[in-house]
């Protein structure tokens, strides 16, 4: 589903070629993150994603601004790795049911889990160095 959404967004407007888009999907929920050059592109990306069959909800977290640097993206990958490792090591959470994405220091958590596990996952992520903010995109059981 991720590839379908991403391709549809890029095909909708050539201005997306200068954007940094990150698309993550889980259970019919699509998370849009990254950077676009203006508010109109931000809105268009959400509209295009929401118009695709089997998409139940779009969480639009796109920021208006220039793409992040390679150094920032490397740091984001490190944060994602640390958060995921800690979630997998925690015995109170089924870490395999949580998707983790970090974009510009913001950690996005997705999955279909009980609310207590979602709260615990957010607390674990919050303790990782470099995390600026946590956004929960969970669906709760």
């Amino acid at each position: 589903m991720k590839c379908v959404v991403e391709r549809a967004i890029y095909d909708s407007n050539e201005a997306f070629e200068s954007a940094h888009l990150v698309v993550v999907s889980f259970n019919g929920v699509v998370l849009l993150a990254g950077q676009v050059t203006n508010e109109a592109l931000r809105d268009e990306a959400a509209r295009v994603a929401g118009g695709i069959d089997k998409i139940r909800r779009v969480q639009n977290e796109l920021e208006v601004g220039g793409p992040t640097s390679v150094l920032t993206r490397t740091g984001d990958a490190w944060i994602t790795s640390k958060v995921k490792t800690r979630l997998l090591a925690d015995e109170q959470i089924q870490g395999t049911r949580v998707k983790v994405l970090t974009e510009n220091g913001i950690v996005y958590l997705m999955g279909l889990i009980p609310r207590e596990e979602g709260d615990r996952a957010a607390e674990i992520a919050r303790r990782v160095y470099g995390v600026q903010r946590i956004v929960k995109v969970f669906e709760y059981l």
Side-chain angles (χ1 to χ4, degrees):
M1 187 59 65
K2 168 194 180 248
C3 293
V4 171
V5 172
E6 195 169 332
R7 187 76 268 143
I9 291 171
Y10 278 111
D11 288 348
S12 73
N13 188 326
E14 65 184 30
F16 282 113
E17 293 302 322
S18 63
H20 171 63
L21 291 178
V22 181
V23 179
V24 180
S25 66
F26 181 83
N27 199 34
V29 176
V30 170
L31 168 65
L32 301 175
Q35 300 80 39
V36 292
T37 55
N38 58 58
E39 195 69 34
L41 285 177
R42 181 183 189 283
D43 295 342
E44 184 174 346
R47 181 187 54 74
V48 170
I52 295 173
D53 286 342
K54 298 183 182 173
I55 300 298
R56 296 184 299 109
R57 180 170 60 108
V58 176
Q59 178 87 24
N60 189 355
E61 296 290 332
L62 287 167
E63 298 175 337
V64 175
T68 54
S69 69
V70 172
L71 183 60
T72 298
R73 292 183 199 171
T74 301
D76 289 343
W78 182 86
I79 290 170
T80 295
S81 176
K82 293 296 279 185
V83 170
K84 192 65 178 172
T85 299
R86 290 181 185 188
L87 291 175
L88 290 170
D90 192 282
E91 294 179 3
Q92 297 177 28
I93 297 175
Q94 291 184 344
T96 57
R97 296 192 326 181
V98 178
K99 282 191 175 189
V100 180
L101 167 72
T102 307
E103 183 61 37
N104 207 16
I106 301 170
V107 174
Y108 300 93
L109 303 171
M110 293 181 83
L112 181 61
I113 61 175
R115 186 172 299 276
E116 312 80 58
E117 285 187 33
D119 293 343
R120 176 120 177 109
E123 184 55 37
I124 288 169
R126 193 171 281 110
R127 289 185 256 152
V128 171
Y129 178 79
V131 172
Q132 303 297 314
R133 184 166 60 103
I134 308 289
V135 175
K136 294 189 278 186
V137 191
F138 291 124
E139 289 188 284
Y140 295 111
L141 296 173

